Amino acid sequence: MQLHHYKLLNRAKTVSLYGLGQAIPMVAQLIISLLIIKKYSTALWGEYVTLLLWVNFIIIFSYFGNKSYLLKEFSEQPGKIYTTWLSNFCTRFLVLLFIGLLVFFIPLFHPFLIPILIWMFLLFYNQSFEVLILYQKDFKFNFFTELVRNSAIIGIVLFLPEVIQLELFLYVILGGLFIKTLCYTVYYRKVLLHTKASLDKQSLLASLPFLIPMVLGTLRTKVDSYYGTIYFTKEDLSEYQIFISLISVVQLGVAYMINPFIKNFYRISKKTRIILEKQFFYLGIGLGSIAIIAIYCVISYLYQFTFSTTSYILGYLFMSTLFIHVLLINEFYKNNKQTQVAYITGTILLLQIIFGYFIIDTYQSTGALIIKVAGQCVAVFALLAIREKFIRSSNIRT
């Protein structure tokens, strides 16, 4: 019994450290958004969010299944972790160079070409280390890195002049990312200096099944925000994105409950999976209720924004279904069903794009939330239905 409690305590400690490290950037972003809105203007934050959304979308094509694919490779070949990682990094860097050329053809980025290019490289570099942090459970180091980086940004924002332009704010953000880059480089210097690597085209091809669902999934979950950059004013986009950011904190909480143990998830039994799904279902109902009340208080009393009751109901539905969605996606990856995930996500995305074109322009933020939540619910039901089919077919074969 004592051994069981010891294991639970260690697991809770691991999850907490990972979760805190992941939560710090999101919480810091909310603090920074509040400072910018109160000290400068809601429009300035909206301008930054517009660039943030599109930069994050473009850079995702350079990740090439970095996390999901490599975690699986590490589990299968634990003796070649660093060689596999560095070879994958070098190969994907060539992809980044090609993607960087696209920046010159996007009018939105023209006034900020230099900071955008630096931004993309720093995001790529830092994201590449996330898989090592996850696999080696370097969560304590990651926690302090994020704490230092985000504290520095908040401190600088507090002492910025009373009138600032977007470009100056971008360089503040880049300064924070550079601190993170420096920390990662020093901490993993032995890996970078003493590991032999080569270009690995095969890894790009092998990780494509992971990349496609990731890109489609990002679009599906953020299509509402991308439409917002088109249809919303900068002020409305700013307010909507803060609402979504608060929901994303909960989304992150769901992820950190399971991400540290994904390598174990690939080996769990059917019985354990059923137990986990029931636990996550009830967690979704309970924590979703607590979370939406907390979001209402923050939005209404701290930011002093106004959203309809319908918006809060939709936000709750989105958060409560997240818990099952995370488990289902990982189960499909476990069974090498990435193609099915891509088909489901692609179909839902197409419907979201079509209906979003008509709904979001008319109903603004409420319409955007309808598109977001509908996509999430349809995805869960579709994954459940298709999973039942491949489980039934595998039982027939055996």
Side-chain angles (χ1 to χ4, degrees):
M1 185 63 71
Q2 286 183 343
L3 181 62
H4 177 68
H5 286 308
Y6 178 75
K7 286 183 177 179
L8 285 177
L9 188 63
N10 271 348
R11 178 170 292 189
K13 184 179 177 182
T14 300
V15 169
S16 297
L17 275 172
Y18 175 75
L20 287 170
Q22 295 293 299
I24 285 173
M26 301 191 75
V27 173
Q29 187 178 64
L30 288 168
I31 294 171
I32 294 165
S33 70
L34 184 63
L35 290 173
I36 293 294
I37 288 168
K38 297 295 184 182
K39 191 175 179 181
Y40 304 106
S41 68
T42 306
L44 176 59
W45 185 252
E47 290 172 2
Y48 167 70
V49 165
T50 301
L51 291 178
L52 176 69
L53 285 167
W54 289 109
V55 166
N56 280 336
F57 174 68
I58 291 172
I59 197 66
I60 201 174
F61 288 93
S62 70
Y63 294 165
F64 246 81
N66 174 52
K67 194 177 291 184
S68 300
Y69 167 73
L70 287 180
L71 278 174
K72 195 170 183 181
E73 287 294 301
F74 292 170
S75 297
E76 293 174 356
Q77 302 183 67
K80 297 182 179 179
I81 289 174
Y82 300 128
T83 301
T84 302
W85 175 81
L86 194 56
S87 296
N88 182 270
F89 173 88
C90 294
T91 310
R92 288 185 301 105
F93 181 71
L94 296 180
V95 178
L96 176 69
L97 294 178
F98 174 76
I99 292 172
L101 295 175
L102 297 178
V103 172
F104 294 91
F105 299 97
I106 301 175
L108 176 67
F109 295 154
H110 281 179
F112 314 104
L113 285 177
I114 299 302
I116 293 293
L117 289 171
I118 298 172
W119 197 358
M120 289 174 60
F121 171 74
L122 293 177
L123 286 174
F124 167 83
Y125 185 87
N126 293 335
Q127 193 274 345
S128 296
F129 287 93
E130 288 181 11
V131 67
L132 290 180
I133 290 170
L134 260 179
Y135 194 82
Q136 298 181 160
K137 293 185 169 63
D138 294 326
F139 303 141
K140 191 182 216 179
F141 156 73
N142 187 60
F143 168 77
F144 284 110
T145 298
E146 292 294 355
L147 185 64
V148 170
R149 191 254 294 202
N150 288 282
S151 297
I153 295 174
I154 292 171
I156 293 171
V157 170
L158 280 170
F159 293 100
L160 282 174
E162 293 184 3
V163 179
I164 65 168
Q165 299 297 320
L166 177 58
E167 187 170 9
L168 175 59
F169 180 59
L170 287 180
Y171 279 113
V172 172
I173 297 297
L174 295 184
L177 283 173
F178 182 75
I179 291 172
K180 186 174 179 178
T181 298
L182 190 61
C183 290
Y184 282 175
T185 303
V186 172
Y187 190 82
Y188 293 105
R189 62 190 181 281
K190 290 183 180 179
V191 177
L192 295 169
L193 293 174
H194 303 297
T195 303
K196 291 184 179 180
S198 59
L199 294 180
D200 186 7
K201 297 178 184 177
Q202 192 60 38
S203 72
L204 291 185
L205 295 174
S207 59
L208 264 176
F210 293 91
L211 174 68
I212 295 170
M214 182 173 65
V215 173
L216 292 176
T218 300
L219 274 173
R220 184 187 68 74
T221 55
K222 293 188 177 181
V223 65
D224 53 315
S225 295
Y226 291 122
Y227 266 127
T229 63
I230 300 170
Y231 291 132
F232 296 175
T233 64
K234 297 302 180 190
E235 289 81 1
D236 289 342
L237 176 62
S238 178
E239 293 180 9
Y240 180 77
Q241 199 57 35
I242 287 166
F243 185 89
I244 295 300
S245 294
L246 288 166
I247 290 177
S248 296
V249 172
V250 180
Q251 189 171 2
L252 177 66
V254 178
Y256 88 67
M257 285 180 185
I258 192 170
N259 275 352
F261 311 105
I262 283 180
K263 65 178 182 181
N264 299 323
F265 183 82
Y266 286 125
R267 298 190 289 267
I268 65 173
S269 64
K270 180 181 177 181
K271 183 179 178 181
T272 305
R273 173 181 57 76
I274 293 171
I275 292 171
L276 275 176
E277 285 184 4
K278 286 182 179 178
Q279 289 175 344
F280 271 58
F281 175 75
Y282 292 118
L283 274 172
I285 294 173
L287 294 182
S289 301
I290 296 170
I292 201 64
I293 292 171
I295 289 172
Y296 170 78
C297 293
V298 171
I299 289 288
S300 300
Y301 300 109
L302 194 58
Y303 285 93
Q304 297 180 330
F305 296 155
T306 301
F307 284 89
S308 65
T309 303
T310 303
S311 295
Y312 287 106
I313 292 172
L314 290 168
Y316 169 75
L317 289 173
F318 182 79
M319 288 186 292
S320 60
T321 54
L322 275 171
F323 289 77
I324 294 297
H325 186 259
V326 171
L327 285 182
L328 287 171
I329 289 293
N330 279 290
E331 185 178 359
F332 270 69
Y333 285 167
K334 171 189 172 183
N335 290 281
N336 294 314
K337 301 291 181 181
Q338 294 92 343
T339 305
Q340 284 85 342
V341 173
Y343 283 136
I344 292 169
T345 307
T347 303
I348 294 171
L349 173 61
L350 181 61
L351 292 173
Q352 285 179 302
I353 290 172
I354 294 170
F355 287 105
Y357 178 80
F358 298 101
I359 294 175
I360 296 176
D361 188 25
T362 303
Y363 296 101
Q364 294 291 291
S365 62
T366 302
L369 282 169
I370 289 171
I371 294 299
K372 188 179 189 70
V373 176
Q376 176 81 346
C377 292
V378 172
V380 168
F381 286 120
L383 288 168
L384 285 170
I386 291 179
R387 184 188 67 173
E388 193 62 33
K389 280 187 178 181
F390 76 69
I391 289 176
R392 195 181 300 121
S393 64
S394 64
N395 288 337
I396 291 172
R397 285 195 297 270
T398 56

